Amino acid sequence: RDYVRRRHLPRLLRRATRALAKLATEARDPRSLENALGRLSGMAPDPEERGRVAAELGRLCEIELGDSAGAIEAWRKVLGTSRDHEALGALSRLYEATGAHRELSQVLDRRADVEPDAEVRERVLLQVAELRATKLGDRAGAIEALRRVIATFGATRAATQKLVQLLEQERRWEDLASALEADVALAPAEERAGLRARLGQLRLARLNDLPGAIAAFGAALSADRFDKTARLALEKILGGTAEVKARDSKMPPGAPSE
């Protein structure tokens, strides 16, 4: 008989706790309801029921009690259930409100994996990149997030401009050249000459790519024949090349050139 009682005790406790939660709801007593739901969320044998109760507790803590810490704790219990998407949205909101940037980045990254709406998913990934770059000092992580956006949704001007900025800060010159090429294709006509001249300077000074630099400066002048940077750079390159050729032509046969 004692064994039977012990076996049924958890079910009886759950039933009693549900009754307390119902009474607290009817009495409009949020503190008592919080206590009952907190107990019940740890008692329910079924994960989905635990998730449902924890979600109710999370909403109660956030909306009625103004308890962000309690709401976060409750919503974390919901993760991994069928309410996962709702939990990730709530945790994103709560972490942002409390300034928990690292936790927010992790939750947003996970949310991007399960978000069914493509437009929302793109916005979430851009938020991850901005967060990593500005709040966490994680430029490599921000670059990864931006590349994920571009690979999934295609290049946008906002994404390529931010990527160019981060790659330059990281001194990743080859990747920066590729990003600048992508940015040129998206830029308005009046900006293309300046961007191509910048690409030419990068290829010349950082990549030691003289043919690529000449091509970039030439393209800049094709876009704007008055672009001063491209014109002066080309004059210097071509003038220097002409001087070397002239010097080599005056050397006696067999003499080594510089």
Side-chain angles (χ1 to χ4, degrees):
R1 185 180 299 174
D2 288 342
Y3 167 75
V4 172
R5 286 175 180 171
R6 286 196 299 272
R7 189 179 68 177
H8 290 291
L9 183 59
R11 181 166 55 84
L12 294 172
L13 286 173
R14 289 196 300 274
R15 184 181 298 171
T17 307
R18 288 192 194 99
L20 288 173
K22 184 178 179 181
L23 287 171
T25 301
E26 292 171 352
R28 300 182 182 277
D29 183 353
R31 286 296 177 189
S32 296
L33 180 58
E34 177 193 19
N35 185 49
L37 290 175
R39 290 173 180 273
L40 195 57
S41 67
M43 291 178 176
D46 177 51
E48 288 302 316
E49 185 181 353
R50 287 199 300 271
R52 180 189 63 77
V53 173
E56 185 179 351
L57 177 59
R59 286 188 290 270
L60 176 72
C61 288
E62 182 182 5
I63 298 169
E64 293 196 40
L65 299 176
D67 178 8
S68 296
I72 288 170
E73 182 181 356
W75 281 113
R76 286 182 64 85
K77 293 180 182 178
V78 183
L79 294 173
T81 71
S82 61
R83 299 170 183 267
D84 195 71
H85 184 265
E86 183 184 3
L88 289 169
L91 286 169
S92 299
R93 182 175 61 251
L94 287 160
Y95 283 140
E96 186 169 15
T98 56
H101 300 128
R102 190 166 301 280
E103 291 82 357
L104 175 59
S105 173
Q106 293 167 352
V107 165
L108 289 174
D109 211 26
R110 181 170 172 178
R111 184 179 170 190
D113 289 333
V114 300
E115 176 57 55
D117 188 311
E119 188 175 333
V120 174
R121 190 161 68 250
E122 181 179 9
R123 189 165 63 246
V124 166
L125 283 171
L126 287 171
Q127 187 178 355
V128 170
E130 183 67 19
L131 191 64
R132 288 175 177 172
T134 59
K135 300 296 185 182
L136 300 177
D138 179 11
R139 289 197 293 260
I143 289 168
E144 179 187 349
L146 286 169
R147 283 182 161 168
R148 189 175 169 191
V149 171
I150 293 169
T152 306
F153 304 102
T156 64
R157 189 76 203 285
T160 57
Q161 282 184 308
K162 188 64 179 177
L163 186 59
V164 163
Q165 178 187 347
L166 290 168
L167 289 169
E168 186 168 26
Q169 291 170 351
E170 287 289 279
R171 304 173 70 84
R172 290 165 59 170
W173 308 126
E174 286 282 2
D175 292 336
L176 176 57
S178 298
L180 278 171
E181 290 279 12
D183 195 41
V184 168
L186 297 168
E190 63 271 15
E191 293 183 27
R192 289 176 190 164
L195 287 169
R196 289 197 180 279
R198 181 180 176 187
L199 178 60
Q201 290 176 314
L202 173 68
R203 292 197 178 282
L204 185 64
R206 298 296 186 182
L207 299 175
N208 197 28
D209 176 11
L210 184 59
I214 291 172
F217 288 132
L221 288 177
S222 295
D224 178 7
R225 62 193 181 94
F226 297 109
D227 188 272
K228 186 175 180 181
T229 300
R231 181 171 55 81
L232 290 175
L234 270 181
E235 286 175 355
K236 185 175 181 180
I237 291 170
L238 297 176
T241 304
E243 287 176 8
V244 170
K245 287 182 177 179
R247 187 167 62 247
D248 287 349
S249 67
K250 295 176 182 178
M251 288 183 179
S257 60
E258 293 181 5

